[in-house]
Amino acid sequence: EDERGGILLICAEKGGESKLYELSLDFDGDMFWRLILDKNGRNLGNLETYLQQRIKQDSDIWLIELSIADAQRFAEEVLASA
């Protein structure tokens, strides 16, 4: 991004599924949290590979990791409303 670094969010649930989201823009210019991958490596594959690619593209990227009780609920309620 031109004005600031990108923002990546890892939602980790103890003993459960972890998901990686990236704050993105839709076609109307509205921001939304886009699911990039989950702990099973679905979507774009390996977390490390994805992070290395993003750091090359954006040296000012932010990576935030949240360890929360119910990652799925957090994603549905909080990220969907962002």
Side-chain angles (χ1 to χ4, degrees):
E1 301 202 10
D2 294 337
E3 297 177 15
R4 61 172 171 76
I7 301 173
L8 299 174
L9 178 65
I10 297 174
C11 293
E13 184 176 326
K14 184 177 181 179
E17 189 169 320
S18 297
K19 294 183 178 183
L20 174 67
Y21 296 89
E22 184 165 5
L23 192 57
S24 301
L25 290 174
D26 65 15
F27 293 113
D28 296 324
D30 296 322
M31 297 186 123
F32 72 100
W33 289 101
R34 179 171 50 110
L35 177 64
I36 302 298
L37 58 96
D38 60 28
K39 78 171 188 176
N40 297 319
R42 291 183 291 218
N43 297 333
L44 290 181
N46 182 298
L47 175 63
E48 291 298 322
T49 301
Y50 183 78
L51 292 177
Q52 289 173 4
Q53 292 170 347
R54 289 299 287 123
I55 290 168
K56 286 180 185 176
Q57 297 169 348
D58 182 356
S59 62
D60 191 28
I61 199 159
W62 289 73
L63 177 61
I64 302 165
E65 184 173 1
L66 300 177
S67 179
I68 50 184
D70 189 346
Q72 182 65 32
R73 180 175 164 207
F74 177 82
E76 290 171 357
E77 294 180 4
V78 176
L79 297 183
S81 66

